[in-house]
Amino acid sequence: MNSLFSLENKRVLITGSGRGIGFLIAKGLAESGAEVIVNATTPQGADEAAAALQQQGFRAHAVAFNVTQSHEVNAAVEKIELEIGPIDVLVNNAGIQRRRPFLEFPEQDWNEVIAVNQTGVFLVSQAVARRMVTRGRGKIINIGSMQSELGRETITPYAASKGAVTMLTRGMCVELARHNIQVNGIAPGYFKTEMTQALADDEAFTAWLCQRTPAARWGDPQELIGAAVFLASKASDFVNGHLLFVDGGMRVAV
């Protein structure tokens, strides 16, 4: 049974993994045997994350590129494939958040959210999937959100971008499954991270969250690792186009 979830001899690229959830996912995949390639927009961020994993005995490499810039993405993927090896699994984790009321939301902020959260997934997936198709195998995991299907005040552009990630996941599945490529998504609920720290510090919001969520608590980012390992491993070979919610039951509760 353990072989179903083993990532030995698998090479995984995780975008936006210099810190936060991306770094934890990289560490969790490495613990399952994967050779991981961490990414940040700056060389320093990528190098520090890779070094932290290497110090723990994991196989890790650093590659800096901006997911919104096609020339950087294409050059980075080519470099990885030539110098490190074929990418077996891609985790599209890079994402940003901006909070403003819809009627006051600046166009520039909208463009930035869409560029990172939506266009970045498209660009990196396309560059990596072209090589996966040639090899006849691969897995792509897109990090969505509970807001892929639910709306909330002040984050309409974020929800729109994550809704688009859901449909990118399904569309890529339809086109790539015939090439033995599985494309799935993980939709986290409310987790305590740097991005949500302000909400976690808000006692009224936390009280509402605990009442609204059947599990009655915030999620621990460590609890996303199992979903990532499952979707990256042989255990999910016939799972495709699926959005796996990790939300303590919030989405299904009235």
Side-chain angles (χ1 to χ4, degrees), residues 62-240:
V63 179
F65 62 89
N66 187 327
V67 298
T68 71
Q69 303 300 313
S70 59
H71 64 283
E72 290 190 30
V73 169
N74 292 327
V77 170
E78 182 175 5
K79 178 179 180 180
I80 292 167
E81 295 264 336
L82 289 175
E83 298 181 7
I84 301 174
I87 299 168
D88 299 297
V89 182
L90 165 65
V91 181
N92 283 305
N93 169 77
I96 62 172
Q97 174 67 289
R98 298 286 187 272
R99 290 185 173 89
R100 292 281 189 87
F102 174 72
L103 296 180
E104 302 169 15
F105 209 93
E107 181 180 357
Q108 181 60 35
D109 283 2
W110 162 273
N111 290 337
E112 290 176 0
V113 169
I114 297 300
V116 176
N117 297 0
Q118 179 177 334
T119 305
V121 174
F122 166 74
L123 292 176
V124 182
S125 295
Q126 189 179 64
V128 173
R130 284 171 175 155
R131 293 163 172 83
M132 288 180 171
V133 166
T134 299
R135 291 189 286 270
R137 59 182 171 80
K139 292 179 180 287
I140 297 174
I141 304 169
N142 297 324
I143 305 301
S145 169
M146 190 168 57
Q147 268 67 45
S148 294
E149 296 189 4
L150 299 175
R152 181 167 175 79
E153 290 183 351
T154 74
I155 60 168
T156 296
Y158 178 84
S161 71
K162 291 301 185 177
V165 169
T166 295
M167 293 313 300
L168 274 169
T169 300
R170 293 170 179 169
M172 285 193 288
C173 161
V174 171
E175 295 198 43
L176 299 176
R178 71 196 69 170
H179 301 288
N180 191 31
I181 299 170
Q182 293 82 52
V183 186
N184 294 288
I186 298 174
Y190 281 94
F191 284 78
K192 284 187 177 181
T193 66
E194 292 178 18
M195 190 180 290
T196 60
Q197 190 59 53
L199 294 177
D201 293 339
D202 186 328
E203 292 184 3
F205 182 88
T206 293
W208 170 85
L209 175 68
C210 291
Q211 183 178 23
R212 177 70 175 78
T213 306
R217 64 176 175 85
W218 282 85
D220 181 338
Q222 295 279 350
E223 293 172 308
L224 291 168
I225 293 173
V229 170
F230 167 63
L231 292 177
S233 69
K234 184 176 177 59
S236 61
D237 278 357
F238 203 56
V239 179
N240 221 333

Side-chain angles (χ1 to χ4, degrees), residues 16-91:
S17 51
R19 60 183 182 176
I21 286 177
F23 180 79
L24 288 176
I25 289 176
K27 182 175 181 290
L29 297 178
E31 288 173 340
S32 292
E35 179 180 4
V36 297
I37 303 153
V38 296
N39 156 258
T41 55
T42 65
Q44 180 180 355
D47 289 341
E48 289 178 354
L53 293 173
Q54 291 165 1
Q55 288 170 5
Q56 299 177 61
F58 300 123
R59 292 174 297 163
H61 309 270
V63 179
F65 62 89
N66 187 327
V67 298
T68 71
Q69 303 300 313
S70 59
H71 64 283
E72 290 190 30
V73 169
N74 292 327
V77 170
E78 182 175 5
K79 178 179 180 180
I80 292 167
E81 295 264 336
L82 289 175
E83 298 181 7
I84 301 174
I87 299 168
D88 299 297
V89 182
L90 165 65
V91 181

